[in-house]
C-alpha cells in the first residue's frame, strides 16, 4: 500500500543517515530509503539524494527538487521478482565476469579491489590528472609526491574495517572505515578519489583525517562533495585576491589550512556566514563576489568541474565531454572503454587480460585519427554511457575485463540485438536529452568550459605545461557533432 506521511520528526531534525536509520527501523529491515539532508532542505543547487548510509546520487541538484517539494524521504519495499528471459545465460555471463575480476592482473582492477579510487590519488596528482590549487598550480611545486601520498592508498585504507559493496555488486570497491578517536567517524564511508583530490590537491591540504571528517559531514548533509570542493577551491583563490574583505573582513583562507577548510565546509552545511553564499555552488558565488572576473570559477554552465584535468595528454575527449554533453561539466558522461562492449563473442563472455591489453594498445597508441575517426570515437564513448546508465550499470566494471553487457541485455529481455543496435538506442537517448535542453531554451552551442580548463592560460611547468588540447578542442567538438 502507498502512503504519504508527515515528516515533522525528520525535517530539520535528522541528517540523511539518521533519517534512513529511523525509517528502516519504523518500516522494516527490508526497506530501502532515499532521502535528503540539510542541503536539500535548504534547496541548495548542489544538493543530492542519499541512500545506504551516506551514498549520494549527487550531481546537478536533485536534492533541491526534493526540498522544494518538501519531500524528505521515499521509503520502498519491493515484493516482486525481476523478470529474466534466460536466467541461466545471465548467471553464466555474470559468473565468468566475477571469475575474471577476481583473477585479473590488470593494475587498475587490482587497485580498485584493494583501495577503490582512493588508491589512485597520488598517481593522479603526479600524472596531471588532478587539478592543483584551483587548476592554477603544479603538483611538482605546489603539491609534491610526499604530500600526495598522505591522502592516497594506505594513508586512507589503514582506517578501513571492511569492504563496501553497492547493491548486487561483486566488485566491492568501496570501504567502511573507522577513526577511533573521532565519534563522528566511528562508522564512515571511505573517501574516494574525487573527495581526496578535491579537498586535498585542489586546496593543497595533506591532512587526510580532515578529509575523512569533511566527507562524512557532506554525506550526512546530502551535499554533492565534488561541487563543494570546486566551490571551496574557488573561495581560497578569491580570498587570496581580496574579494571577501568588504563583506567578511575576519575570514582567513590560506592554502593548505585544514582547520579553515573544515570551518568553511561547516558554514556551507549550516548555511551561515560566507557559507550561505557558497551553498549554491561556484557560479552563483562568483557572480556575487567577482563581477570583474579576477578569479576562475571552474564550472561549465553552472556545473562544477570534477577532479580530472582536461589539459592532460589524452584527456581531450573528457574535456570535449565537459562541453557537449546534455549534462555538462561531468566526468561520468562518456566512457572511453566503449570498445569493450562491442566485442560480443557468444561463447567467450569475458576476454582475458592479454587480449584486452592488445586491444587497448591498438586503440590508444594510434594518435593520428582522422576527423571522421575522432568523431566516431567521441560519439561512441558518449552514447555508450547512455546504454550503461540506462541499464543501471557501473562505469568501474569497464576498467578491467570485458563486461558482457550485450549478452546481459539480450538474455534479460529476450531480444537479439547487436552492439550497433544498442549504440543506436544510446544515440536516441542522447538526442532526446539534448532536445529537452533545446526545448527549455538552453543555448547549447554556447556552453563553454573555462579557459583555464582548456589550457588557454597555459601552465609553465608540470605534466600539463603548454597543453596542446586547446588547439584541438573546437575541431574535436565539431567532429563529435557531425558524427552525432
Amino acid at each position: 500500500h502507498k502512503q504519504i506521511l508527515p515528516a515533522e520528526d525528520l525535517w530539520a531534525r535528522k541528517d540523511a543517515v539518521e533519517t534512513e536509520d529511523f525509517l528502516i527501523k519504523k518500516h522494516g529491515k527490508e526497506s530501502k530509503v532515499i532521502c535528503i539532508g540539510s542541503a536539500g532542505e535548504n534547496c541548495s543547487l548542489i544538493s543530492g539524494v542519499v541512500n545506504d548510509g551516506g551514498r549520494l546520487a549527487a550531481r546537478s541538484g536533485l536534492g533541491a527538487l526534493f526540498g522544494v517539494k518538501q519531500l524528505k524521504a521515499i521509503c520502498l519495499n519491493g515484493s516482486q521478482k525481476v523478470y529474466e528471459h534466460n536466467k541461466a545465460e545471465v548467471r553464466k555471463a555474470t559468473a565468468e565476469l566475477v571469475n575474471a575480476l577476481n583473477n585479473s592482473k590488470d593494475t587498475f582492477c587490482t587497485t580498485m579491489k584493494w583501495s577503490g579510487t582512493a588508491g589512485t590519488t597520488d598517481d593522479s596528482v603526479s600524472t596531471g590528472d588532478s587539478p592543483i590549487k584551483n587548476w592554477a598550480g603544479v603538483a611538482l611545486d605546489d603539491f609534491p609526491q610526499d604530500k600526495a601520498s598522505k591522502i592516497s592508498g594506505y594513508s586512507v585504507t589503514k582506517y578501513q574495517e571492511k569492504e563496501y559493496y553497492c547493491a548486487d555488486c561483486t566488485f566491492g570497491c568501496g570501504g567502511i572505515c573507522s577513526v577511533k578517536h573521532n565519534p563522528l567517524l566511528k562508522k564512515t564511508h571511505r573517501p574516494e578519489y574525487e573527495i581526496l583530490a578535491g579537498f586535498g590537491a585542489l586546496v593543497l591540504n595533506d591532512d587526510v583525517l580532515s578529509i575523512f571528517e569533511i566527507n562524512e559531514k557532506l554525506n550526512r548533509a546530502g551535499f554533492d562533495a565534488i561541487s563543494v570542493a570546486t566551490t571551496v577551491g574557488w573561495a581560497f583563490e578569491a580570498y587570496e585576491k581580496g574579494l571577501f574583505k568588504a563583506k567578511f573582513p575576519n575570514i582567513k583562507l590560506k592554502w593548505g589550512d585544514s582547520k579553515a577548510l573544515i570551518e568553511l565546509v561547516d558554514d556551507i552545511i549550516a548555511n551561515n556566514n560566507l557559507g550561505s553564499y557558497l551553498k549554491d555552488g561556484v557560479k552563483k558565488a562568483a557572480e556575487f563576489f567577482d563581477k570583474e572576473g579576477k578569479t576562475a570559477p571552474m564550472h561549465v554552465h553552472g556545473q562544477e568541474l570534477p577532479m580530472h584535468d582536461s589539459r592532460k595528454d589524452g584527456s581531450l575527449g573528457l574535456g570535449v565531454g565537459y562541453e557537449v554533453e546534455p549534462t555538462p561539466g561531468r566526468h561520468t558522461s562518456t566512457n572511453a572503454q566503449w570498445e569493450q562492449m562491442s566485442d560480443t563473442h557468444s561463447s567467450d563472455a569475458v576476454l582475458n587480460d592479454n587480449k584486452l591489453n592488445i586491444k587497448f594498445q591498438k586503440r590508444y597508441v594510434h594518435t593520428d585519427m582522422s576527423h571522421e575517426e575522432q568523431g566516431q570515437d567521441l560519439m561512441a564513448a558518449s552514447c555508450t554511457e547512455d546504454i550503461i546508465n540506462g541499464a543501471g550499470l557501473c562505469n568501474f566494471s569497464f576498467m578491467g575485463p570485458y563486461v558482457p553487457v550485450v549478452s546481459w541485455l539480450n538474455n534479460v529481455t529476450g531480444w537479439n540485438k547487436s552492439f550497433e543496435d544498442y549504440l543506436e538506442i544510446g544515440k536516441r537517448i542522447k538526442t532526446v536529452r539534448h532536445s529537452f535542453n533545446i526545448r527549455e531554451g538552453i543555448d547549447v552551442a554556447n556552453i563553454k568550459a573555462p579557459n583555464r580548463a582548456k589550457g588557454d592560460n597555459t601552465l609553465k611547468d608540470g605534466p600539463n605545461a603548454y597543453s596542446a588540447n586547446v588547439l584541438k578542442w573546437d575541431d574535436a567538438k565539431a567532429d563529435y557533432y557531425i558524427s552525432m
Side-chain angles (χ1 to χ4, degrees), residues 137 299 425 475:
H299 69 87
I425 292 172
D475 281 347

Side-chain angles (χ1 to χ4, degrees), residues 442-464:
I442 296 171
D443 184 5
V444 295
N446 284 311
I447 292 176
K448 303 289 186 183
N451 287 340
R452 195 179 284 183
K454 294 182 177 184
D456 215 354
N457 298 321
T458 20
L459 295 172
K460 304 295 190 291
D461 201 356
N464 299 334

Side-chain angles (χ1 to χ4, degrees), residues 168-386:
D168 296 319
C169 178
T170 56
F171 202 42
C173 67
I176 302 298
C177 298
S178 181
V179 180
K180 304 299 183 187
H181 65 270
N182 188 332
L184 177 69
L185 303 177
K186 185 178 179 181
K187 181 184 178 183
T188 186
H189 282 281
R190 184 187 65 221
E192 300 296 340
Y193 165 74
E194 296 290 330
I195 313 306
L196 293 161
F199 294 100
L202 193 70
V203 291
L204 311 187
N205 172 37
D206 64 0
D207 179 359
V208 72
L209 290 184
S210 71
I211 302 175
F212 265 95
E213 183 174 335
I214 288 167
N215 185 56
E216 179 67 14
K217 286 178 174 179
L218 291 175
N219 287 345
R220 286 176 172 270
F223 268 103
D224 169 6
I226 298 175
S227 285
V228 175
T230 299
T231 304
V232 165
W234 169 84
F236 273 70
E237 180 179 335
Y239 168 80
E240 190 174 54
K241 294 181 177 177
L243 300 188
F244 302 139
K245 278 183 181 177
K247 198 163 188 66
F248 297 101
N250 297 323
I251 197 168
K252 292 183 180 179
L253 298 176
K254 297 291 181 70
W255 297 105
D257 184 343
S258 61
K259 184 173 181 292
L261 182 62
I262 291 173
E263 288 174 353
L264 184 57
V265 170
D266 285 343
D267 276 345
I268 292 172
I269 292 170
N271 198 18
N272 284 334
N273 304 320
L274 177 59
S276 65
Y277 293 87
L278 304 181
K279 63 98 175 171
D280 284 322
V282 72
K283 181 176 184 287
K284 294 285 188 183
E287 284 173 349
F288 184 85
F289 287 104
D290 188 17
K291 292 179 172 58
E292 296 180 10
K294 295 179 179 179
T295 61
M298 301 305 291
H299 69 87
V300 181
H301 202 65
Q303 179 65 78
E304 291 78 12
L305 285 177
M307 305 306 134
H308 297 281
D309 198 321
S310 41
R311 298 168 296 190
K312 182 188 175 191
D313 186 35
S315 292
L316 178 61
L318 175 75
V320 169
Y322 287 162
E323 285 192 349
V324 303
E325 288 296 317
T327 47
R330 306 195 328 190
H331 65 294
T332 53
S333 291
T334 66
N335 195 294
Q337 282 75 33
W338 65 271
E339 281 194 336
Q340 291 189 65
M341 284 175 62
S342 67
D343 202 323
T344 55
H345 294 68
S346 58
S347 60
D348 185 17
V350 181
L351 298 178
N352 65 41
D353 288 337
N354 289 333
K355 287 181 184 177
L356 191 64
N357 287 335
I358 290 169
K359 189 174 183 179
F360 275 1
Q361 284 169 17
K362 281 182 181 177
R363 174 172 153 68
Y364 287 115
V365 171
H366 181 58
T367 56
D368 56 341
M369 284 180 171
S370 68
H371 285 294
E372 183 178 1
E373 288 173 324
Q374 180 165 257
Q376 284 294 111
D377 184 80
L378 291 169
M379 177 278 294
S382 175
C383 296
T384 299
E385 185 64 27
D386 286 289

